[in-house]
Amino acid sequence: MTAAQFAEPAPGLRTLRVERGKWGGFASIGAALEAAADDDRVVVMPGTYVENLTVTKNITIEAASEAAGPVLVQSHYGVTLSVSAASATVRGLSVRGGDAGEPAVRIDAGTIESCEITAEHAGGVAMTGGSPTLRDCDVTAAGFGISVRDGARGRVERCRVTARRGGVLVTAAADPVVTGCVVTGPDGNGIYVTGGGRGSFDDCVVSGAGQPAVAVDGGADPVMRGLRISGCDSHGVWIDEDATGLIENCQVDDVRGHGVYVTRGADPVIRSVTVERGQTSGIQIAGARGTFEDCLVRVCGGSGMAVEGGDPVVRRVIVSDVAGYGITVEGGGGSFDECVVSRTGPGRAGIRIGRGGAPHLSRCTVSHVPGEGIRAEEGAAGSLEDCLINETEAAPVGISGGTHGEGRYTLVLGTAEGALTRVDRPAADTEPHSGCGGGKTADGTVSPAVDDLDELLAALDGLVGLARAKQEVGDLVKLTLVAKQRERAGLPPPPLSRHLVFAGSPGTGKTTVARMYGKILAALGVLAKGHLVEVSRVDLVGEYVGHTAPKTQAAFDKARGGVLFIDEAYMLSSGSDDFGREAIGTLVKLMEDHRDEVIVIVAGYPNEMDRFLSVNPGMASRFTRTITFEDYSSEELVTIVGEQAAKLHYELAEDTGRALLGHFAAIPRDRHFGNGRTARVVLEEMIQRQARRLSAVAEPTRDELLALLPADLDA
């Protein structure tokens, strides 16, 4: 081989140079491949090489880094580049295929990276079996840009695909990992999984597709996370023919079809998907099942969610600003739990149940709609359980006989002579006010239930410690009572903001006092129900643009008539998070618009809460009173352990109490100290140690079963 020059003389460690017209190098890449051994490196100088390459050795082929131009490998017939060696690498080449029946590249092992691949008449890259890798490549093709078939389990990473027929095809039981890829402008699908294909698709982008951007059918079962779909002429995600799979944390924006379309027996899980600016329905279900959780649909030309035959499970889906109905069910059923609908099309109901529809709606909220809250057509059925309907321009529930008045509804809908009938009355008309024993006076106001109020105040006073907090809550109660007396005397009430800041360390009883405060205000007739809805940052802040305001609205709506308790509220203003600040702005507006319907209590560490109030000018003006919750003393913690033990039918011996006192006194009172939670953990550990101790006793006495000893405190 006098025509070759080697940097290293030993086979397997050589660099073979390909450069046409130069002495000492190979004139073709194929000749270098024939001469190479495993672990050799083939460096190709700039130029056009018309040949078909088959790589069956574990070698590296790459364009010379010092090249002043591209390395183009092209052929007119057959596959231009075929790679089947497990450790082979092809890097930096331009590969062009001209055969109408074969892809430009076929790979079933090894790695192709940083290459430009063009197929003028067929597919770009075909992965056929094995576990190959395609990385950082630009693929342009007349057929599918990348097809993965025949059980292949390869990887496709950060590739850019422009292909007429479609972007990425997965079929014939293939199971690839596809990450960070971008598919632009296909006439067909951006991603198509069929024929029992699986695959994991993460952080991919599809834009400008002529057919559904993502299509899944034929029993396929892929996992897709972080997809971004936009500007498509058809549906965003189309799942058909008994397909399953998981679609999670994806965005669908500006599509002419449905945002998500599930049909013909498909049963996927759709979770945390946002659909915006769709021209038809946000989510369409036809003859299918599926689980839909924590999705957001907004600004769509049709209904937010439409079921036409099928039985989906829907949880915490938010629909707003749609031209059609918020949710419509016709000829199907399904369960809808904790869904929120607002701002539907002109005259459109928030939720519509059409002929043959029979859904179960539980804990759903409908508000700010121009039609009825819930509309049930002739021939419909179903049930509503604890659904909140308010601020509708038409009747809250439109059925035969009609219902009137905002509030919570528990209804069963059925058919009788073709017309809907109301089986039971709405809960808002039948339930006593907040369950606190109050009644309505002649002027329609709710009189306080004095006995219940006394009991609630006694329970508050009976809490261990919290002297300062109990006194301030008591002062608020007295101020509220005087305000009512002034009203009855025809005098204006004193200025009173009932929204509160609870400042204190974790475990100091803030949630417990907030719950009691709500019940006390209900007993006073200030709140309709007095229930507590506890939320944190994750319940208010969305993951995508446009997701936060509806989530905050949904939490606020659940708290209507009661207390919205935001724990660790300062997390909303931490760092440079615009979504957290959006939640604060939304909350401030809701507090102003519904000032008499919800009491908001924000809680957290004292210093952090001071900074939180300074973030938005409206916050400080609405939270004018801060109640401080001091840490429990060691003696109070011992009392808490004793009370909790008694509820569980345990007893603390006298020396056990002394041991506990010393134990709590030795615990550092830093930010990690849990106060009441620490007391609860200590008791649970003592009970566990007692059980371990008594396991050695054949027949322990009743007194032994009751007693917690100092030994049970020791680790």
Side-chain angles (χ1 to χ4, degrees), residues 427-488:
D429 293 345
T430 60
E431 293 181 349
H433 178 269
S434 73
C436 294
K440 288 189 176 180
T441 62
D443 62 1
T445 61
V446 180
S447 62
V450 178
D451 292 341
D452 288 350
L453 179 60
D454 289 342
E455 292 175 8
L456 290 167
L457 292 174
L460 176 66
D461 190 58
L463 294 175
V464 175
L466 309 180
R468 186 172 172 182
K470 289 188 288 191
Q471 179 182 343
E472 294 192 48
V473 171
D475 290 343
L476 284 172
V477 171
K478 294 171 185 174
L479 188 57
T480 301
L481 286 170
V482 170
K484 285 190 165 294
Q485 291 168 347
R486 288 178 61 88
E487 286 185 76
R488 287 195 290 271

Side-chain angles (χ1 to χ4, degrees), residues 322-397:
V322 295
Y325 301 101
I327 297 172
T328 179
V329 181
E330 188 157 7
S335 62
F336 297 77
D337 188 40
E338 294 188 278
C339 297
V340 177
V341 175
S342 63
R343 297 187 295 277
T344 53
R348 300 291 191 179
I351 298 175
R352 173 185 173 271
I353 307 173
R355 177 179 292 274
H360 174 67
L361 309 171
S362 62
R363 298 185 294 278
C364 294
T365 299
V366 179
S367 65
H368 299 88
V369 296
E372 296 151 320
I374 296 177
R375 174 67 187 171
E377 307 286 0
E378 183 176 345
S383 59
L384 285 64
E385 178 185 352
D386 194 26
C387 292
L388 176 63
I389 306 169
N390 54 38
E391 300 195 36
T392 61
E393 294 187 14
V397 178

Side-chain angles (χ1 to χ4, degrees), residues 595-654:
R595 65 183 70 182
D596 296 325
E597 298 179 58
V598 176
I599 302 299
V600 179
I601 298 177
V602 292
Y605 290 105
N607 292 337
E608 282 83 345
M609 293 309 298
D610 288 342
R611 289 194 290 270
F612 168 71
L613 293 179
S614 66
V615 170
N616 186 300
M619 295 295 286
S621 64
R622 286 163 178 79
F623 294 96
T624 58
R625 183 184 292 265
T626 297
I627 295 180
T628 302
F629 288 71
E630 299 170 336
D631 287 347
Y632 290 111
S633 67
S634 298
E635 291 80 5
E636 289 168 344
L637 291 171
V638 173
T639 301
I640 291 172
V641 172
E643 289 184 352
Q644 293 178 350
K647 290 178 181 178
L648 299 172
H649 299 283
Y650 288 93
E651 294 178 354
L652 301 182
E654 184 176 346

Side-chain angles (χ1 to χ4, degrees), residues 239 243-247 260 262-263 265-270 288-292:
I239 305 177
T244 53
L246 169 66
I247 313 293
V260 177
V262 182
T263 184
D267 190 12
V269 175
I270 311 293
R289 292 178 55 82
T291 300
F292 302 80

